[in-house]
């Protein structure tokens, strides 16, 4: 193949398949090669050389932090409700199956990040990871990008926050503990479903609820607060008082220090992807969703108020004072009033 001359001998003998697709979006992204490997059946990794590691959040966005890092595009958690699906369309990939299986990996991100952080203009503002695609989905086990990112941020005195479903975070807890000696480090875990059957349907590539509860405990044992994003709460599937009570009780027992619970948003192509799944698996609920969402992305104000009134006393019952999305991603002395993100941070 045309790329064989540029592969290491170990790569030539690894059994991996290499191919270079013709998608112009990937060419523009700095494509080096595309890889398929037996350990990730059905998945193609598109390795790119990024020009920038830091993403500046647009001024008009309601996202509370100004800077983010996305080591990859696409996510092997494969959550049917993921709001970031639409970002794949900028690479001429689709927001459905391609988002789940065509993973763009910025293989040089740590080196690029160090250069950016070393500029005199860098003000050491908080940088968030986990705002678009999860930094600890299974691709991280192959590429190990996060240790280099964490090291670069810590070495340049830059506070960081991480929000993840991925139990691979446990591997880096010692490194984060070292980083926390010099910069603020905030850790959040995403977990909204205890029902394993439903989780396998809507988050087929994510770790189990039990594994994430154990991760919460491990984060606490490592000396960190552990905020939990119990989001999204799925209407008519897991929004009953008993189900929410069980969820918050389990989070408290695992050691969570605070919880944010919020409703499902169906933004852009995510709406069609999620409602198609719903129609295939729970067709009787389509009418309910049409009533709650109409033609929009956000649930009706009446539903949001109803859910808020249900959630608030349960959080108080379990000692999990609700925090805003901003407080998970920004150290407490830098918090600004904000709402959940209204758009993904792009390449």
């Amino acid at each position: 193949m045309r790329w064989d001359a540029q592969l290491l001998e170990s790569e030539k003998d690894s059994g991996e398949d290499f191919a270079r697709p013709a998608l112009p979006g990937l060419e523009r992204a700095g494509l080096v090669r595309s890889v398929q490997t037996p350990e990730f059946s059905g998945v193609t990794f598109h390795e790119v050389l990024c020009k920038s590691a830091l993403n500046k959040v647009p001024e008009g966005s309601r996202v509370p932090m100004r800077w983010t890092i996305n080591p990859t595009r696409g996510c092997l958690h494969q959550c049917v409700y993921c709001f970031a699906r639409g970002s794949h369309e900028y690479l001429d990939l689709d927001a459905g199956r391609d988002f789940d299986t065509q993973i763009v990996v910025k293989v040089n991100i740590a080196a690029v990040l160090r250069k950016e952080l070393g500029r005199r203009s860098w003000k050491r503002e908080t940088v968030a990871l986990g705002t678009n695609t999860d930094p600890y989905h299974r691709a991280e086990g192959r590429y190990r990008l996060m240790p280099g990112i964490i090291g670069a941020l810590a070495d340049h005195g830059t506070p960081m926050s991480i929000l993840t479903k991925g139990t691979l975070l446990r591997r880096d807890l010692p490194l984060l503990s070292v980083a926390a000696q010099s910069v603020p480090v905030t850790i959040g875990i995403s977990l909204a479903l205890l029902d394993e059957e439903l989780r396998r349907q809507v988050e087929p590539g994510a770790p189990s609820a039990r594994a994430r509860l154990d991760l919460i405990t491990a984060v606490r044992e490592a000396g960190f607060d552990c905020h939990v994003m119990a989001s999204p709460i799925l209407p008519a599937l897991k929004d009953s008082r008993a189900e929410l009570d069980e969820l918050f009780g389990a989070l408290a027992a695992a050691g969570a220090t605070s919880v944010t619970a919020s409703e499902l948003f169906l933004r852009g192509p995510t709406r069609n992807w999620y409602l198609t799944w719903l129609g295939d698996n729970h067709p009787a609920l389509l009418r309910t969703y049409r009533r709650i969402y109409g033609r929009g992305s956000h649930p009706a104000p009446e539903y949001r108020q109803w859910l808020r009134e249900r959630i608030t006393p349960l959080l108080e019952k379990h000692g999990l004072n609700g925090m805003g999305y901003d407080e998970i991603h920004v150290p407490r002395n830098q918090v600004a009033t904000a709402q959940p993100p209204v758009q993904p941070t792009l390449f």
Side-chain angles (χ1 to χ4, degrees):
M1 300 178 70
R2 63 179 295 186
W3 287 92
D4 281 354
Q6 300 182 38
L7 303 180
L8 299 174
E9 290 300 320
S10 60
E11 292 175 327
K12 293 179 183 179
D13 298 332
S14 68
E16 295 177 340
D17 293 325
F18 301 92
R20 192 172 189 182
L23 287 172
L26 287 171
E27 297 286 354
R28 292 193 301 270
L31 179 68
V32 174
R33 66 176 187 173
S34 296
V35 183
Q36 294 177 332
T37 179
E39 290 83 2
F40 294 86
S41 178
V43 175
T44 301
F45 294 108
H46 303 287
E47 299 176 357
V48 303
L49 297 178
C50 63
K51 296 179 180 179
S52 177
L54 290 166
N55 306 300
K56 188 173 183 179
V57 177
E59 291 293 335
S61 174
R62 290 182 292 172
V63 179
M65 73 295 297
R66 294 186 62 203
W67 299 96
T68 68
I69 296 175
N70 297 306
T72 65
R73 291 278 291 275
C75 185
L76 294 178
H77 290 332
Q78 303 179 344
C79 303
V80 297
Y81 53 74
C82 182
F83 77 92
R85 287 182 172 276
S87 65
H88 238 45
E89 295 179 344
Y90 290 87
L91 300 176
D92 300 318
L93 296 165
D94 72 57
R97 183 64 176 164
D98 283 352
F99 184 85
D100 295 339
T101 62
Q102 305 293 312
I103 309 300
V104 180
V105 184
K106 303 174 189 179
V107 291
N108 65 331
I109 193 168
V112 172
L113 177 63
R114 282 191 174 274
K115 290 182 179 179
E116 293 179 324
L117 297 175
R119 295 171 181 165
R120 290 184 178 180
S121 59
W122 177 244
K123 295 180 171 55
R124 298 181 178 179
E125 298 176 75
T126 299
V127 174
L129 296 107
T131 62
N132 193 23
T133 52
D134 195 313
Y136 283 105
H137 69 97
R138 287 194 301 123
E140 172 61 17
R142 172 184 170 88
Y143 287 98
R144 298 183 63 87
L145 301 176
M146 284 298 290
I149 291 170
I150 293 167
L153 292 169
D155 289 348
H156 287 84
T158 299
M160 69 192 82
S161 71
I162 296 170
L163 178 62
T164 183
K165 288 182 173 76
T167 52
L168 276 167
L169 170 69
R170 188 190 292 260
R171 179 200 68 195
D172 289 346
L173 285 175
L175 182 59
L176 288 164
S177 295
V178 173
Q181 296 175 17
S182 56
V183 298
V185 175
T186 305
I187 298 177
I189 306 300
S190 177
L191 176 56
L193 289 171
L194 298 181
D195 183 331
E196 277 300 294
E197 182 178 354
L198 181 59
R199 185 205 59 78
R200 283 191 291 267
Q201 292 179 26
V202 298
E203 303 171 348
S208 69
R210 181 69 264 167
R212 278 181 269 171
L213 290 170
D214 291 343
L215 178 61
I216 292 168
T217 302
V219 170
R220 297 289 285 124
E221 290 175 346
F224 294 97
D225 284 351
C226 188
H227 313 299
V228 175
M229 281 287 285
S231 177
I233 303 298
L234 302 178
L237 285 169
K238 286 296 169 183
D239 61 355
S240 74
R241 183 174 283 103
E243 289 162 336
L244 292 170
D245 190 27
E246 181 186 14
L247 172 64
F248 299 150
L251 296 177
T257 48
S258 56
V259 171
T260 299
S262 60
E263 60 271 24
L264 172 69
F265 296 94
L266 297 176
R267 191 173 298 116
T270 299
R271 177 186 172 96
N272 182 62
W273 189 249
Y274 179 83
L275 293 180
T276 297
W277 168 82
L278 189 72
D280 290 342
N281 293 274
H282 303 278
L285 294 181
L286 282 173
R287 180 176 296 180
T288 299
Y289 273 73
R290 292 191 188 103
R291 185 175 69 252
I292 293 174
Y293 288 89
R295 297 180 180 275
S297 303
H298 297 262
E302 294 80 5
Y303 177 82
R304 298 179 73 178
Q305 180 64 27
W306 174 86
L307 185 62
R308 188 177 302 112
E309 291 175 354
R310 175 159 290 189
I311 287 171
T312 300
L314 291 175
L315 290 177
E316 293 175 355
K317 170 185 174 181
H318 294 286
L320 301 169
N321 294 326
M323 299 177 69
Y325 181 89
D326 51 329
E327 293 179 86
I328 286 181
H329 278 294
V330 183
R332 291 176 184 174
N333 62 348
Q334 300 181 32
V335 170
T337 302
Q339 298 294 325
V342 295
Q343 62 185 75
T345 303
L346 304 179
F347 232 116

